[in-house]
């Protein structure tokens, strides 16, 4: 995969950056969105493919992007297709910071050190290549206003932006209501983006943690009070939605 093309996780993060404050909108759901965006990018690169509501590795060859290749290797090690909702809901510690640091190295954002409450060190990120951010936003605006089916990358980006709650950040207020509605509708234009976006929303709604009830084997009856649904593993509790948050430097 050539590095001349921005990946969907990078574009999603640039969309979420507030140019005035240097903070990211919807930080907790954004982490889920970045994990989902990696799946979409790997699918576009031909490395994975949907298998029902699961994700299967079809070509384990590295893409050349270290962060994506780490995700691809983790998927490969599973040995069997994994449910998208379980993958996205799994721990992704530091993923947002990894992409922010990458954008800084590429010269697309600049880290601005500061302090919270005059004590805690923080780091804000200001976009330096504003033309890139405008181009990304322009693609979404065009898809929303013209009604022309967007290309798969833009459709997936729109689906993820809706899933993580960026609609109110990008198109605020009552005047942005129709644009937010159209942003949501773009989810239908890319099957993989739609699958991942729905998985992101399911994790936020706690659906990933709901147990699946399996019927008792024939000839056996469950004894009252002695059976329990199988707990879902590796899926965190429903995250709280936050409007804006600073990234604390470590």
């Amino acid at each position: 995969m050539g590095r001349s093309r921005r990946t969907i996780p990078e574009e999603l993060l640039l969309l979420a950056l507030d140019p005035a404050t240097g903070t990211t909108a919807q930080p907790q759901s954004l982490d889920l969105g970045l994990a989902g965006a990696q799946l979409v990018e790997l699918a576009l690169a031909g490395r994975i493919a949907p298998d029902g509501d699961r994700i299967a590795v079809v070509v384990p060859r590295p893409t050349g992007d270290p962060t994506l290749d780490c995700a691809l290797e983790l998927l490969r090690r599973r040995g069997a297709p994994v449910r998208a909702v379980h993958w996205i809901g799994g721990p992704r510690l530091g993923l947002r910071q990894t992409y922010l640091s990458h954008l800084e190295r590429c010269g697309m954002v600049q880290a601005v050190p500061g302090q919270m409450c005059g004590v805690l060190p923080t780091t804000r990120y200001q976009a330096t290549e504003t033309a890139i951010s405008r181009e990304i936003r322009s693609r979404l605006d065009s898809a929303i206003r013209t009604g022309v089916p967007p290309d798969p990358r833009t459709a997936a980006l729109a689906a993820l932006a809706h899933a993580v709650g960026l609609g109110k950040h990008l198109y605020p207020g009552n005047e942005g209501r129709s644009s937010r509605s159209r942003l949501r509708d773009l989810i239908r234009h890319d099957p993989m983006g739609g699958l991942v976006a729905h998985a992101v929303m399911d994790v936020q709604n706690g659906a990933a943690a709901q147990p699946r009830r399996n019927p008792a084997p024939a000839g056996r009856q469950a004894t009252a009070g002695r059976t329990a649904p199988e707990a879902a593993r590796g899926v965190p509790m429903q995250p709280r939605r936050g409007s804006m948050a600073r990234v604390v430097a470590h």
Side-chain angles (χ1 to χ4, degrees), residues 6-248:
R6 296 181 303 275
T7 64
I8 293 177
E10 293 164 5
E11 293 194 332
L12 183 66
L13 187 51
L14 286 171
L15 274 180
L17 274 179
D18 188 292
T21 66
T23 58
T24 54
Q26 301 299 106
Q28 292 180 327
S29 56
L30 180 61
D31 290 342
L32 302 176
L34 290 173
Q38 287 186 313
L39 294 181
V40 176
E41 192 66 49
L42 287 171
L44 290 172
R47 301 312 196 266
I48 64 175
D51 182 5
D53 66 345
R54 298 174 182 267
I55 303 298
V57 175
V58 292
V59 178
R61 186 177 69 252
T63 66
D65 181 302
T67 310
L68 290 176
D69 289 341
C70 179
L72 179 62
E73 176 62 14
L74 290 174
L75 285 167
R76 186 192 67 79
R77 289 179 184 176
R78 293 292 184 95
V82 58
R83 289 187 67 205
V85 70
H86 286 171
W87 172 262
I88 291 169
R92 294 291 179 273
L93 296 178
L95 187 58
R96 181 164 26 119
Q97 186 59 52
T98 295
Y99 275 107
L100 283 169
S101 299
H102 169 72
L103 291 176
E104 183 184 11
R105 289 192 300 270
C106 293
M108 288 190 240
V109 302
Q110 179 182 7
V112 181
Q115 288 185 330
M116 182 187 301
C117 301
V119 179
L120 298 175
T122 64
T123 303
R124 299 172 180 238
Y125 290 86
Q126 299 286 352
T128 54
E129 294 289 342
T130 55
I132 294 176
S133 297
R134 287 197 301 269
E135 184 271 331
I136 298 170
R137 176 66 181 272
S138 177
R139 280 163 41 211
L140 284 186
D141 290 346
S142 177
I144 286 172
R145 292 170 182 166
T146 65
V148 176
D151 63 274
R153 301 185 71 83
T154 302
L157 181 63
L160 287 162
H162 166 70
V164 302
L166 289 183
K168 291 184 178 180
H169 168 69
L170 299 171
Y171 306 103
N174 288 332
E175 64 275 12
R177 184 177 301 172
S178 61
S179 293
R180 293 195 299 270
S181 177
R182 295 191 194 102
L183 180 70
R184 179 194 63 216
D185 291 342
L186 290 176
I187 201 170
R188 71 182 187 274
H189 289 293
D190 180 63
M192 184 66 180
L195 168 66
V196 169
H198 282 297
V200 169
M201 291 185 283
D202 283 346
V203 173
Q204 294 178 82
N205 293 331
Q210 295 300 317
R212 289 185 169 185
R213 296 182 181 274
N214 296 321
R220 296 178 59 187
Q221 292 183 339
T223 303
R226 300 185 62 181
T227 59
E230 181 182 356
R233 298 178 180 177
V235 181
M237 295 179 65
Q238 177 181 355
R240 296 179 181 176
R241 288 179 178 268
S243 56
M244 303 291 291
R246 293 182 175 87
V247 179
V248 180

